[in-house]
C-alpha cells in the first residue's frame, strides 16, 4: 500500500478553505451506513432469507471499515486496487442474496470515481451499472424503465461528484506545490542576498585595508622615515648646533606623525586636505621637503585650478608625497620640480628631479615586498582606480620624470 502526505484542504483562489477532506469522507461513510441499513430493512421486508442478507451486509460493512482504517493508519490517500476488487465482489454476493443491494451502488460509484484513474473508473462504474440493471431481472424476471433510469442518473451524479472532488484535490496539490516552490525560491533568494552582502562586506573591508595602508604609508611612514634620517644625522653631527637642529626637526616630525595618526584613526580622512586646498598642501609639503632634504624645489600650478573632487586631490597629494620620499631616499638629486596643469578633461602632475635615475620598467614590474617598493605600486593603483595612470621616465644617470594624470572631476556642491 503506497503512502502519501495527509490530505490537503481544498481552497479557492483566495486561499479560503472550501471543503474539508475529513468532512467529505465522513459524509461518504454516513451515506454508506444509511444505504446499508436501507438495504437490510428492505430485504427483510421482502421476505428474503435473513442469514444470507446479514452475512452479505456484515461482510460488506466489515471490509469497508477495515479498508478505511488501514488507509488512515498508513496516512494514505488511495485504497489498494485489490481491496476495491474484493469490495465489489462482496457487493455482487449481496446482489445474489437480494436485489436491494443495488442501493449500495451509489457508494461504490463514489469510491470508483475517486480512487481509480479516469478510464478505469468509467469502465468499472459501467460494470456496476450493468449489474444494477441486471439484478432485478434475475431475481424477479422483469425490469422497467425506472429501474434503469434511476440508477443511471444516480450513478452519473455520484461518479461526477467523485471526479470533481478529485480534480479539486489535484488543483489544491498543484497550488500547494507552487506555494512551496515560491517559498523555497524566496529562501534561496534570501540566502543569495546574504551571501552577496557578505561578499560585498568582505570586499569593502579589503578595499578599506588597502586605503588605510596607503594613508599610513603616505603620511606616518614617510614621516617616520624622515625621523630616522634626522636621527642618523644627529648621531653623526660634528657640532652641537647641527645635533640640536636635527633633534628639533625630529620633534616637529613626530608631532606631525602623531597628529596624522590621530586624524586617520578618528576620521580616516586625508589630513592635509581638511582645511586647505591642494595647492596649499603641495606648497607646505615642498617647503618641508626642501628644509629636510636640503634640496631646491620649484612649484608651478596653472592659474584658475578648479576645486576638484576630494578623491582626485587625495590621489595627487599622496602621489606627490610618495614621489618626493623616493627622491630623497634614492635619487641623490639637488633639484626637484613639481608642476600641476589641467585642461577640460584631465589634470596632470609632473615631478622631475636631476638625480641618478633608475631602470623605470624594472621598478614598475617588481612585486610588492615587506622591505619596500610599495610607493610606485600604490601610486599606480590609486590613480588607476580613478581612471588615470602613472608614467615614469628614467634611466641610470639621467634623472627621473614622473607624470600622474587623472580625469578631471569637479567637487560636488553641498
Amino acid at each position: 500500500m503506497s503512502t502519501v502526505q495527509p490530505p490537503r484542504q481544498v481552497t479557492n483562489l483566495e486561499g479560503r478553505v472550501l471543503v474539508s477532506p475529513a468532512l467529505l469522507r465522513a459524509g461518504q461513510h454516513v451515506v454508506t451506513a444509511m444505504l446499508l441499513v436501507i438495504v437490510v430493512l428492505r430485504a427483510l421486508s421482502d421476505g428474503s432469507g435473513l442469514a444470507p442478507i446479514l452475512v452479505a451486509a456484515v461482510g460488506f460493512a466489515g471490509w469497508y471499515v477495515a479498508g478505511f482504517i488501514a488507509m488512515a493508519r498508513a496516512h494514505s490517500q488511495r485504497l489498494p486496487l485489490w481491496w476495491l476488487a474484493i469490495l465489489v465482489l462482496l457487493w455482487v454476493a449481496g446482489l445474489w442474496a437480494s436485489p436491494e443491494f443495488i442501493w449500495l451502488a451509489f457508494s461504490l460509484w463514489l469510491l470508483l470515481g475517486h480512487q481509480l484513474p479516469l478510464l478505469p473508473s468509467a469502465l468499472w462504474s459501467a460494470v456496476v451499472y450493468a449489474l444494477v440493471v441486471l439484478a432485478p431481472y434475475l431475481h424477479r424476471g422483469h425490469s422497467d424503465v425506472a429501474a434503469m433510469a434511476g440508477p443511471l442518473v444516480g450513478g452519473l451524479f455520484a461518479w461526477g461528484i467523485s471526479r470533481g472532488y478529485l480534480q479539486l484535490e489535484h488543483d489544491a496539490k498543484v497550488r500547494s506545490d507552487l506555494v512551496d516552490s515560491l517559498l523555497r525560491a524566496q529562501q534561496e533568494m534570501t540566502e543569495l542576498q546574504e551571501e552577496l552582502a557578505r561578499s560585498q562586506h568582505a570586499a569593502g573591508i579589503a578595499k578599506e585595508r588597502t586605503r588605510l595602508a596607503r594613508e599610513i604609508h603616505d603620511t606616518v611612514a614617510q614621516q617616520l622615515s624622515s625621523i630616522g634620517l634626522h636621527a642618523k644625522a644627529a648621531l653623526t653631527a660634528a657640532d652641537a648646533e647641527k645635533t640640536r637642529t636635527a633633534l628639533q626637526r625630529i620633534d616637529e616630525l613626530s608631532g606631525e606623525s602623531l597628529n596624522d595618526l590621530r586624524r586617520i584613526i578618528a576620521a580616516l580622512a586625508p589630513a592635509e586636505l581638511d582645511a586647505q586646498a591642494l595647492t596649499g598642501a603641495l606648497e607646505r609639503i615642498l617647503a618641508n621637503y626642501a628644509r629636510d632634504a636640503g634640496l631646491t624645489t620649484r612649484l608651478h600650478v596653472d592659474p584658475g585650478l578648479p576645486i576638484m573632487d576630494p578623491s582626485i586631490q587625495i590621489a595627487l597629494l599622496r602621489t606627490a608625497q610618495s614621489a618626493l620620499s623616493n627622491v630623497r631616499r634614492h635619487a641623490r638629486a639637488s633639484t626637484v620640480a613639481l608642476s600641476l596643469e589641467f585642461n577640460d578633461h584631465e589634470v596632470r602632475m609632473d615631478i622631475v628631479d636631476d638625480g641618478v635615475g633608475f631602470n623605470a620598467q624594472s621598478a614598475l614590474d617588481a612585486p610588492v615586498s615587506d622591505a619596500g617598493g610599495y610607493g610606485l605600486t600604490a601610486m599606480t593603483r590609486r590613480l588607476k582606480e580613478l581612471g588615470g595612470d602613472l608614467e615614469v621616465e628614467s634611466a641610470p644617470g639621467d634623472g627621473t620624470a614622473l607624470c600622474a594624470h587623472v580625469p578631471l572631476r569637479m567637487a560636488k556642491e553641498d
Side-chain angles (χ1 to χ4, degrees):
M1 182 181 297
S2 61
T3 60
V4 296
Q5 295 296 324
R8 292 179 169 87
Q9 292 180 329
V10 179
T11 60
N12 61 6
L13 293 178
E14 289 76 25
R16 297 178 180 175
V17 177
L18 295 178
V19 64
S20 169
L23 181 61
L24 283 176
R25 184 144 300 163
Q28 179 181 341
H29 298 335
V30 171
V31 169
T32 302
M34 292 176 59
L35 292 175
L36 194 59
V37 171
I38 292 173
V39 167
V40 174
L41 294 178
R42 287 180 61 87
L44 293 177
S45 66
D46 288 345
S48 302
L50 177 62
I53 294 174
L54 290 180
V55 170
V58 171
F60 184 92
W63 188 251
Y64 181 93
V65 172
F68 278 97
I69 290 176
M71 185 178 70
R73 289 178 177 176
H75 301 291
S76 174
Q77 284 297 291
R78 291 290 178 268
L79 293 160
L81 297 180
W82 57 267
W83 179 89
L84 277 174
I86 293 176
L87 187 68
V88 172
L89 290 177
L90 290 173
W91 175 72
V92 172
L95 284 179
W96 186 266
S98 171
E100 299 299 334
F101 272 86
I102 63 176
W103 289 86
L104 288 174
F106 188 87
S107 181
L108 289 178
W109 282 320
L110 288 174
L111 286 173
L112 293 172
H114 184 266
Q115 297 293 322
L116 296 180
L118 177 61
L119 184 58
S121 69
L123 293 176
W124 278 104
S125 296
V127 171
V128 170
Y129 173 71
L131 292 174
V132 168
V133 173
L134 186 61
Y137 182 80
L138 293 177
H139 279 275
R140 303 187 181 109
H142 65 86
S143 184
D144 53 32
V145 176
M148 293 184 290
L152 177 62
V153 174
L156 290 176
F157 179 73
W159 186 80
I161 288 177
S162 61
R163 297 308 300 182
Y165 178 68
L166 191 64
Q167 184 62 41
L168 288 176
E169 280 188 334
H170 174 73
D171 293 343
K173 182 179 183 302
V174 171
R175 176 187 175 87
S176 178
D177 292 342
L178 178 60
V179 171
D180 293 342
S181 177
L182 291 174
L183 291 176
R184 287 194 300 270
Q186 182 180 16
Q187 180 64 26
E188 292 174 358
M189 181 64 68
T190 301
E191 294 175 356
L192 181 61
Q193 291 175 344
E194 291 176 352
E195 180 63 26
L196 180 60
R198 287 193 294 268
S199 299
Q200 291 176 340
H201 180 66
I205 290 176
K207 184 176 181 180
E208 185 62 15
R209 285 177 177 173
T210 302
R211 191 183 79 84
L212 286 177
R214 291 173 181 170
E215 292 288 334
I216 294 172
H217 173 272
D218 294 339
T219 56
V220 179
Q222 305 286 358
Q223 291 157 349
L224 290 176
S225 177
S226 297
I227 289 174
L229 294 175
H230 283 289
K232 291 178 182 178
L235 291 173
T236 58
D239 55 70
E241 181 61 27
K242 290 184 178 180
T243 300
R244 188 189 67 80
T245 302
L247 292 176
Q248 183 180 2
R249 186 56 184 156
I250 289 174
D251 180 65
E252 294 174 357
L253 289 172
S254 64
E256 292 177 4
S257 300
L258 181 60
N259 289 333
D260 287 341
L261 188 58
R262 284 173 176 171
R263 290 181 181 181
I264 290 174
I265 293 174
L268 300 180
E272 290 80 359
L273 296 179
D274 284 345
Q276 54 188 319
L278 177 61
T279 302
L282 291 176
E283 290 176 350
R284 184 173 70 85
I285 290 174
L286 283 176
N288 290 335
Y289 181 78
R291 178 180 176 184
D292 293 339
L295 303 181
T296 301
T297 60
R298 294 195 299 269
L299 174 65
H300 168 74
V301 179
D302 276 356
L305 183 69
I307 300 177
M308 295 174 288
D309 186 90
S311 61
I312 295 178
Q313 297 189 55
I314 294 169
L316 294 176
L317 181 63
R318 298 310 186 211
T319 300
Q321 288 176 312
S322 293
L324 293 174
S325 177
N326 288 339
V327 171
R328 181 175 181 181
R329 286 184 293 174
H330 306 298
R332 299 199 295 273
S334 60
T335 303
V336 177
L338 188 152
S339 64
L340 191 61
E341 302 173 349
F342 73 97
N343 55 37
D344 293 339
H345 308 289
E346 187 180 63
V347 58
R348 173 191 177 108
M349 182 175 68
D350 294 305
I351 302 175
V352 181
D353 69 75
D354 58 356
V356 297
F358 62 98
N359 189 324
Q361 191 60 45
S362 298
L364 290 172
D365 293 339
V368 176
S369 66
D370 294 337
Y374 186 81
L376 287 177
T377 303
M379 285 187 274
T380 303
R381 289 178 180 174
R382 187 191 296 272
L383 294 169
K384 285 188 175 181
E385 287 177 0
L386 298 173
D389 204 353
L390 179 71
E391 298 174 6
V392 181
E393 295 182 3
S394 183
D398 290 340
T400 301
L402 181 147
C403 175
H405 54 91
V406 291
L408 179 62
R409 292 201 302 270
M410 303 301 182
K412 295 181 180 179
E413 295 183 359
D414 295 335

